[in-house]
Protein backbone atom coordinates (compact mmCIF):
# COMPACT_ATOMS: atom_id res chain seq x y z
CA UNK A 1 0.00 0.00 0.00
CA UNK A 2 1.75 3.23 -1.13
CA UNK A 3 1.84 5.63 1.83
CA UNK A 4 3.26 8.97 2.83
CA UNK A 5 2.68 11.52 5.57
CA UNK A 6 1.58 15.13 5.44
CA UNK A 7 1.06 17.70 8.16
CA UNK A 8 -2.33 19.31 8.68
CA UNK A 9 -3.07 22.08 11.11
CA UNK A 10 -5.98 22.56 13.48
CA UNK A 11 -5.57 26.00 15.04
CA UNK A 12 -2.39 25.76 17.08
CA UNK A 13 -2.26 21.99 16.71
CA UNK A 14 -0.58 20.05 13.96
CA UNK A 15 -0.77 16.33 13.26
CA UNK A 16 0.62 13.84 10.79
CA UNK A 17 -1.97 12.52 8.34
CA UNK A 18 -1.31 9.23 6.59
CA UNK A 19 -1.59 9.50 2.80
CA UNK A 20 -2.61 6.45 0.76
CA UNK A 21 -2.08 6.83 -2.99
CA UNK A 22 -4.49 4.24 -4.37
CA UNK A 23 -7.59 3.97 -6.50
CA UNK A 24 -10.75 5.01 -4.67
CA UNK A 25 -12.42 2.03 -6.35
CA UNK A 26 -10.12 -0.32 -4.42
CA UNK A 27 -11.78 0.91 -1.21
CA UNK A 28 -15.42 -0.09 -1.73
CA UNK A 29 -16.46 0.45 1.90
CA UNK A 30 -15.54 4.12 1.75
CA UNK A 31 -16.67 4.56 -1.84
CA UNK A 32 -20.08 3.16 -0.97
CA UNK A 33 -20.47 5.62 1.89
CA UNK A 34 -19.38 8.59 -0.23
CA UNK A 35 -21.65 7.87 -3.19
CA UNK A 36 -24.39 5.74 -1.66
CA UNK A 37 -25.34 7.42 1.60
CA UNK A 38 -28.27 9.30 0.06
CA UNK A 39 -29.77 7.57 -2.97
CA UNK A 40 -33.50 7.83 -2.21
CA UNK A 41 -34.09 10.41 -4.94
CA UNK A 42 -32.38 8.23 -7.55
CA UNK A 43 -34.42 5.18 -6.59
CA UNK A 44 -37.65 7.15 -6.78
CA UNK A 45 -36.66 8.73 -10.09
CA UNK A 46 -35.82 5.40 -11.73
CA UNK A 47 -39.12 3.84 -10.69
CA UNK A 48 -41.02 6.97 -11.78
CA UNK A 49 -39.38 6.86 -15.23
CA UNK A 50 -40.39 3.23 -15.61
CA UNK A 51 -43.98 4.09 -14.74
CA UNK A 52 -44.16 7.10 -17.03
CA UNK A 53 -42.20 6.01 -20.09
CA UNK A 54 -42.60 2.22 -20.28
CA UNK A 55 -45.41 -0.20 -20.99
CA UNK A 56 -45.69 -3.68 -19.53
CA UNK A 57 -44.22 -4.94 -16.28
CA UNK A 58 -40.78 -3.77 -15.23
CA UNK A 59 -39.12 -6.56 -13.27
CA UNK A 60 -35.48 -6.72 -14.38
CA UNK A 61 -33.04 -3.88 -13.66
CA UNK A 62 -29.42 -3.70 -14.83
CA UNK A 63 -26.56 -1.35 -13.97
CA UNK A 64 -23.34 -1.13 -16.00
CA UNK A 65 -20.39 0.16 -13.94
CA UNK A 66 -22.43 -0.68 -10.84
CA UNK A 67 -19.52 -0.33 -8.41
CA UNK A 68 -20.58 -1.38 -4.93
CA UNK A 69 -24.19 -1.86 -6.01
CA UNK A 70 -25.50 0.99 -3.88
CA UNK A 71 -28.72 1.10 -5.94
CA UNK A 72 -28.94 -2.58 -6.91
CA UNK A 73 -29.16 -3.66 -3.29
CA UNK A 74 -32.14 -1.37 -2.65
CA UNK A 75 -33.92 -2.53 -5.79
CA UNK A 76 -33.37 -6.18 -4.91
CA UNK A 77 -34.95 -5.50 -1.53
CA UNK A 78 -37.96 -4.06 -3.36
CA UNK A 79 -38.45 -7.30 -5.27
CA UNK A 80 -36.76 -6.57 -8.57
CA UNK A 81 -34.46 -8.98 -10.35
CA UNK A 82 -31.16 -7.10 -10.54
CA UNK A 83 -27.85 -7.49 -12.30
CA UNK A 84 -24.77 -5.51 -13.14
CA UNK A 85 -21.15 -5.41 -14.21
CA UNK A 86 -18.08 -3.51 -13.08
CA UNK A 87 -14.42 -3.57 -14.04
CA UNK A 88 -13.13 -3.52 -10.46
CA UNK A 89 -13.05 -6.96 -8.78
CA UNK A 90 -13.06 -5.49 -5.26
CA UNK A 91 -16.21 -3.49 -5.96
CA UNK A 92 -17.90 -6.54 -7.49
CA UNK A 93 -16.99 -8.70 -4.49
CA UNK A 94 -18.32 -6.06 -2.09
CA UNK A 95 -21.56 -5.80 -4.08
CA UNK A 96 -22.11 -9.55 -4.29
CA UNK A 97 -21.28 -10.07 -0.61
CA UNK A 98 -23.94 -7.56 0.39
CA UNK A 99 -26.51 -9.03 -1.99
CA UNK A 100 -25.74 -12.49 -0.65
CA UNK A 101 -26.22 -11.36 2.96
CA UNK A 102 -29.68 -10.20 1.96
CA UNK A 103 -30.52 -13.47 0.21
CA UNK A 104 -29.57 -12.75 -3.41
CA UNK A 105 -26.75 -14.78 -4.90
CA UNK A 106 -24.01 -13.37 -7.19
CA UNK A 107 -25.88 -10.98 -9.46
CA UNK A 108 -22.85 -8.91 -10.54
CA UNK A 109 -19.87 -9.89 -12.69
CA UNK A 110 -16.48 -8.39 -13.53
CA UNK A 111 -16.71 -7.09 -17.09
CA UNK A 112 -15.83 -4.16 -19.34
CA UNK A 113 -18.86 -1.98 -20.05
CA UNK A 114 -17.66 -1.39 -23.60
CA UNK A 115 -17.60 -5.12 -24.45
CA UNK A 116 -19.88 -7.47 -22.54
CA UNK A 117 -22.79 -9.87 -22.97
CA UNK A 118 -25.77 -10.94 -20.90
CA UNK A 119 -27.69 -14.23 -21.09
CA UNK A 120 -31.08 -12.49 -21.24
CA UNK A 121 -32.76 -9.13 -21.82
CA UNK A 122 -33.32 -6.48 -19.16
CA UNK A 123 -36.30 -4.13 -18.86
CA UNK A 124 -34.47 -1.04 -17.67
CA UNK A 125 -30.84 -0.05 -17.21
CA UNK A 126 -29.32 2.90 -15.38
CA UNK A 127 -25.94 4.56 -14.99
CA UNK A 128 -26.54 7.73 -13.03
CA UNK A 129 -23.25 9.11 -11.68
CA UNK A 130 -21.01 9.84 -14.66
CA UNK A 131 -19.33 6.41 -14.84
CA UNK A 132 -19.87 6.35 -18.61
CA UNK A 133 -17.10 8.93 -19.01
CA UNK A 134 -14.50 6.42 -17.84
CA UNK A 135 -14.67 5.04 -21.39
CA UNK A 136 -11.71 6.90 -22.87
CA UNK A 137 -12.15 6.47 -26.61
CA UNK A 138 -14.86 6.88 -29.22
CA UNK A 139 -14.69 3.15 -29.99
CA UNK A 140 -15.29 2.25 -26.34
CA UNK A 141 -18.23 4.66 -26.06
CA UNK A 142 -19.78 3.30 -29.25
CA UNK A 143 -19.19 -0.24 -28.02
CA UNK A 144 -21.01 0.56 -24.81
CA UNK A 145 -24.14 1.81 -26.60
CA UNK A 146 -24.03 -1.25 -28.85
CA UNK A 147 -23.80 -3.62 -25.87
CA UNK A 148 -26.59 -1.82 -24.04
CA UNK A 149 -28.75 -2.01 -27.15
CA UNK A 150 -28.33 -5.77 -27.17
CA UNK A 151 -29.20 -6.36 -23.51
CA UNK A 152 -32.16 -3.96 -23.04
CA UNK A 153 -35.46 -5.11 -24.51
CA UNK A 154 -37.30 -3.10 -27.17
CA UNK A 155 -39.24 -0.32 -25.47
CA UNK A 156 -36.97 -0.56 -22.44
CA UNK A 157 -35.10 2.37 -20.97
CA UNK A 158 -31.51 3.35 -20.32
CA UNK A 159 -31.16 6.23 -17.84
CA UNK A 160 -27.73 7.75 -18.41
CA UNK A 161 -26.42 10.45 -16.09
CA UNK A 162 -23.44 12.47 -17.31
CA UNK A 163 -21.57 15.67 -16.54
CA UNK A 164 -21.27 17.57 -19.83
CA UNK A 165 -18.65 20.16 -20.76
CA UNK A 166 -20.41 23.49 -21.31
CA UNK A 167 -19.36 25.54 -24.34
CA UNK A 168 -21.09 28.61 -22.95
CA UNK A 169 -20.16 29.68 -19.44
CA UNK A 170 -17.51 28.66 -16.93
CA UNK A 171 -17.51 25.00 -15.83
CA UNK A 172 -17.38 24.03 -12.19
CA UNK A 173 -13.82 23.38 -11.06
CA UNK A 174 -14.38 21.51 -7.82
CA UNK A 175 -16.74 20.29 -5.16
CA UNK A 176 -16.65 18.77 -1.70
CA UNK A 177 -19.09 16.86 0.49
CA UNK A 178 -19.23 14.66 3.56
CA UNK A 179 -20.93 11.42 4.53
CA UNK A 180 -21.22 9.53 7.81
CA UNK A 181 -22.36 6.06 8.84
CA UNK A 182 -22.07 5.21 12.52
CA UNK A 183 -18.50 5.89 13.65
CA UNK A 184 -17.21 6.12 10.07
CA UNK A 185 -17.02 9.52 8.37
CA UNK A 186 -15.55 10.41 4.97
CA UNK A 187 -14.93 13.95 3.74
CA UNK A 188 -14.54 14.08 -0.03
CA UNK A 189 -12.95 16.72 -2.25
CA UNK A 190 -12.73 16.67 -6.04
CA UNK A 191 -10.96 19.26 -8.20
CA UNK A 192 -9.96 19.83 -11.81
CA UNK A 193 -6.34 19.03 -12.68
CA UNK A 194 -6.45 19.50 -16.46
CA UNK A 195 -8.94 19.89 -19.30
CA UNK A 196 -7.92 19.26 -22.91
CA UNK A 197 -10.80 19.90 -25.35
CA UNK A 198 -8.70 18.68 -28.30
CA UNK A 199 -8.01 15.23 -26.88
CA UNK A 200 -11.28 15.35 -24.88
CA UNK A 201 -9.44 14.09 -21.82
CA UNK A 202 -10.09 15.64 -18.42
CA UNK A 203 -8.18 14.82 -15.25
CA UNK A 204 -9.58 15.28 -11.79
CA UNK A 205 -7.98 14.89 -8.40
CA UNK A 206 -10.09 13.24 -5.74
CA UNK A 207 -9.42 12.51 -2.10
CA UNK A 208 -11.23 10.71 0.70
CA UNK A 209 -10.40 11.89 4.21
CA UNK A 210 -11.39 8.85 6.26
CA UNK A 211 -12.13 9.15 9.98
CA UNK A 212 -12.65 6.13 12.21
CA UNK A 213 -12.30 5.83 16.01
CA UNK A 214 -8.85 4.28 15.54
CA UNK A 215 -7.47 5.78 12.37
CA UNK A 216 -7.49 8.92 10.24
CA UNK A 217 -6.02 8.87 6.75
CA UNK A 218 -6.41 10.28 3.26
CA UNK A 219 -6.87 8.30 0.03
CA UNK A 220 -5.64 10.28 -2.98
CA UNK A 221 -6.45 9.34 -6.58
CA UNK A 222 -6.76 10.84 -10.05
CA UNK A 223 -9.73 10.24 -12.35
CA UNK A 224 -9.26 10.37 -16.12
CA UNK A 225 -12.53 10.99 -17.97
CA UNK A 226 -13.58 11.59 -21.56
CA UNK A 227 -15.42 14.87 -22.10
CA UNK A 228 -18.67 15.50 -23.99
CA UNK A 229 -20.31 18.67 -25.17
CA UNK A 230 -24.05 18.64 -25.79
CA UNK A 231 -23.54 18.18 -29.53
CA UNK A 232 -20.98 15.40 -29.07
CA UNK A 233 -23.34 13.50 -26.79
CA UNK A 234 -26.31 13.94 -29.12
CA UNK A 235 -24.20 12.74 -32.06
CA UNK A 236 -23.05 9.65 -30.16
CA UNK A 237 -26.59 8.68 -29.16
CA UNK A 238 -27.94 9.20 -32.67
CA UNK A 239 -25.10 7.20 -34.23
CA UNK A 240 -26.02 4.16 -32.14
CA UNK A 241 -29.16 3.74 -34.24
CA UNK A 242 -31.05 1.96 -31.45
CA UNK A 243 -31.67 4.69 -28.87
CA UNK A 244 -33.94 7.72 -28.86
CA UNK A 245 -33.96 10.52 -26.31
CA UNK A 246 -37.37 10.72 -24.65
CA UNK A 247 -36.57 13.39 -22.07
CA UNK A 248 -33.74 14.99 -20.12
CA UNK A 249 -33.47 15.97 -16.45
CA UNK A 250 -30.93 17.45 -14.10
CA UNK A 251 -29.53 15.77 -11.02
CA UNK A 252 -32.44 16.97 -8.89
CA UNK A 253 -34.33 13.99 -10.39
CA UNK A 254 -37.64 15.88 -10.54
CA UNK A 255 -39.86 14.22 -13.13
CA UNK A 256 -42.13 17.27 -13.14
CA UNK A 257 -39.24 19.53 -14.17
CA UNK A 258 -37.61 18.29 -17.39
CA UNK A 259 -34.39 19.99 -18.44
CA UNK A 260 -33.83 21.85 -21.69
CA UNK A 261 -30.27 20.89 -22.59
CA UNK A 262 -28.20 23.68 -24.14
CA UNK A 263 -24.60 24.87 -24.43
CA UNK A 264 -24.48 25.86 -20.75
CA UNK A 265 -25.79 22.54 -19.38
CA UNK A 266 -23.51 20.45 -17.17
CA UNK A 267 -25.41 17.79 -15.18
CA UNK A 268 -27.98 15.87 -17.22
CA UNK A 269 -29.80 12.54 -17.13
CA UNK A 270 -30.80 11.24 -20.55
CA UNK A 271 -33.90 9.07 -20.64
CA UNK A 272 -33.17 6.79 -23.60
CA UNK A 273 -35.64 4.31 -25.09
CA UNK A 274 -34.58 1.19 -26.93
CA UNK A 275 -36.02 1.26 -30.46
Amino acid sequence: MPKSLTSIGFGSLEMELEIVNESIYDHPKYYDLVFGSDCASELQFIEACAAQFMSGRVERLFEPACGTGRLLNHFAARGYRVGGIDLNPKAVAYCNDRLKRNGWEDRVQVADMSAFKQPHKWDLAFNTINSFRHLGTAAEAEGHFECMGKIVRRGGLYLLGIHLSPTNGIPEEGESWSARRGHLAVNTRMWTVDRNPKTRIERFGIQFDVHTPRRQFRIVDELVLRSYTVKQMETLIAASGVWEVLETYDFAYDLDSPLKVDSSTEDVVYVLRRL
Side-chain angles (χ1 to χ4, degrees):
M1 177 183 293
K3 298 178 181 178
S4 61
L5 296 175
T6 190
S7 295
I8 58 174
F10 297 92
S12 61
L13 298 177
E14 189 173 272
M15 62 176 293
E16 294 288 322
L17 181 67
E18 178 187 355
I19 305 297
V20 179
N21 294 290
E22 293 183 344
S23 169
I24 59 171
Y25 303 112
D26 285 338
H27 295 270
K29 179 179 179 179
Y30 308 131
Y31 178 92
D32 189 74
L33 175 60
V34 167
F35 292 102
S37 60
D38 184 15
C39 54
S41 59
E42 289 171 89
L43 296 168
Q44 182 179 1
F45 174 76
I46 292 169
E47 290 190 318
C49 283
Q52 179 160 323
F53 297 112
M54 294 181 66
S55 59
R57 299 187 65 177
V58 177
E59 300 176 323
R60 307 176 68 88
L61 306 182
F62 182 84
E63 184 178 13
C66 64
T68 59
R70 61 193 185 91
L71 296 177
L72 292 179
N73 187 63
H74 287 287
F75 279 127
R78 296 185 183 192
Y80 292 96
R81 177 78 178 181
V82 301
I85 59 168
D86 197 275
L87 200 57
N88 188 290
K90 293 182 179 179
V92 168
Y94 183 96
C95 178
N96 278 330
D97 285 346
R98 179 162 56 182
L99 289 171
K100 186 176 182 179
R101 287 197 304 270
N102 291 323
W104 304 289
E105 296 291 338
D106 299 343
R107 302 291 179 86
V108 176
Q109 297 82 40
V110 176
D112 186 334
M113 66 174 170
S114 67
F116 70 95
K117 296 180 180 179
Q118 289 289 290
H120 47 69
K121 299 285 188 180
W122 298 86
D123 298 315
L124 182 151
F126 54 88
N127 182 336
T128 58
I129 57 170
N130 217 31
S131 302
F132 168 75
R133 291 180 58 203
H134 281 291
L135 298 173
T137 67
E140 289 176 343
E142 292 164 1
H144 175 69
F145 275 105
E146 181 180 350
C147 289
M148 295 302 296
K150 290 178 179 178
I151 66 125
V152 175
R153 67 169 172 85
R154 291 184 182 275
L157 297 182
Y158 183 24
L159 309 180
L160 179 60
I162 185 170
H163 187 89
L164 298 174
S165 296
T167 55
N168 180 25
I170 301 174
E172 294 184 4
E173 295 297 340
E175 59 181 322
S176 59
W177 67 98
S178 300
R180 176 180 292 275
R181 184 182 296 150
H183 295 296
L184 171 65
V186 181
N187 300 322
T188 303
R189 186 169 75 91
M190 187 172 178
W191 65 96
T192 303
V193 175
D194 179 64
R195 299 181 191 271
N196 190 325
K198 291 185 177 180
T199 63
R200 294 177 58 181
I201 295 299
E202 297 181 346
R203 298 179 183 275
F204 300 90
I206 187 168
Q207 67 184 39
F208 291 171
D209 284 350
V210 182
H211 302 269
T212 74
R214 297 185 177 181
R215 185 184 178 199
Q216 297 185 30
F217 62 101
R218 174 176 295 167
I219 302 169
V220 180
D221 193 11
E222 184 177 83
L223 306 181
V224 180
L225 306 178
R226 183 173 174 81
S227 66
Y228 290 88
T229 64
V230 172
K231 289 186 177 180
Q232 288 167 342
M233 195 63 195
E234 290 175 347
T235 299
L236 177 63
I237 294 171
S240 71
V242 297
W243 297 103
E244 65 171 332
V245 179
L246 294 183
E247 193 56 273
T248 49
Y249 297 91
D250 62 22
F251 284 6
Y253 303 113
D254 184 356
L255 216 65
D256 294 326
S257 300
L259 173 70
K260 180 176 175 57
V261 179
D262 58 28
S263 59
S264 65
T265 301
E266 293 191 66
D267 295 335
V268 57
V269 180
Y270 290 90
V271 179
L272 306 177
R273 180 165 60 191
R274 174 69 168 86
L275 298 172

